[in-house]
Amino acid sequence: MNNHLVENPKIIELPKVLDKRGNLSFFENVNQIPFAIKRTYWIYDVPGGESRGGHAYHENEEFIVALSGSFDVILDDGIEKETYSLNRSYYGLYVPQLYWREMNNFSTNSLALIVSNTQFEENDYIRDYEVFLLIKNDK
Ligand code: TYD
């Protein structure tokens, strides 16, 4: 298990260095996000109307930023769903483990940056919603 306290999902506002030449934002271990980063991936070229995700993770935690464009992240804790609309490159969504997550409503040319606390491990995925509910109810 993780050695830090499991937190709730939350939108985190990132630092913004405003400049006439263009703005700059950043996040770093572990000042802006509540875990040490082991992996970075990004989702791009999503055709209109497509959705991504549709799974949960046992151990993986994520921080999701709409670097460009916009999309929605729907988080489901097994009881209720909450939709987070990401549309600014200086806001990110922290997603703890054991949340069923979907991403949809991608705008044209949107770019989703995702950092996480684990390396890719297919065994960490929960891809069956009924299994997800069983695990949640067991907690
Ligand atoms: P998946 O996580 O199911 O995509 P999404 O949640 O966006 O719908 O991953 C899609 C495929 O990409 C799957 O075959 C696993 C592979 N993959 C990697 O190889 N490395 C990674 O870091 C990620 C996130 C996925």
Side-chain angles (χ1 to χ4, degrees):
M1 277 309 261
N2 282 345
N3 52 14
H4 64 259
L5 219 59
V6 174
E7 301 190 40
N8 293 321
K10 61 181 174 196
I11 294 281
I12 297 172
E13 183 169 2
L14 299 172
K16 252 190 294 181
V17 186
L18 300 178
D19 193 310
K20 288 199 293 287
R21 302 168 299 156
N23 301 330
L24 182 154
S25 287
F26 62 89
F27 52 87
E28 58 189 7
N29 287 343
V30 276
N31 292 331
Q32 281 77 31
I33 57 177
F35 58 80
I37 298 166
K38 282 239 180 90
R39 175 163 51 121
T40 306
Y41 65 97
W42 48 100
I43 295 172
Y44 55 99
D45 287 351
V46 180
E50 280 295 347
S51 68
R52 305 281 318 200
H55 51 68
Y57 305 106
H58 290 283
E59 293 295 333
N60 191 54
E61 296 166 63
E62 296 190 322
F63 182 64
I64 305 174
V65 182
L67 278 191
S68 170
S70 61
F71 51 84
D72 292 342
V73 184
I74 301 107
L75 296 185
D76 176 350
D77 64 2
I79 297 170
E80 53 190 10
K81 290 184 186 185
E82 186 141 5
T83 298
Y84 299 85
S85 294
L86 297 180
N87 53 19
R88 292 280 183 271
S89 58
Y90 50 86
Y91 282 111
L93 175 65
Y94 167 65
V95 185
Q97 59 267 86
L98 285 179
Y99 276 80
W100 191 265
R101 83 143 163 82
E102 289 182 13
M103 297 168 71
N104 62 26
N105 237 342
F106 287 90
S107 68
T108 307
N109 288 332
S110 56
L111 173 58
L113 177 77
I114 298 146
V115 295
S116 56
N117 67 332
T118 67
Q119 292 193 318
F120 175 73
E121 176 58 73
E122 182 60 40
N123 287 338
D124 191 48
Y125 280 72
I126 306 163
R127 294 192 183 272
D128 181 327
Y129 190 72
E130 296 305 316
V131 172
F132 167 70
L133 288 181
L134 284 174
I135 292 170
K136 280 303 246 191
N137 290 331
D138 215 30
K139 292 264 164 199

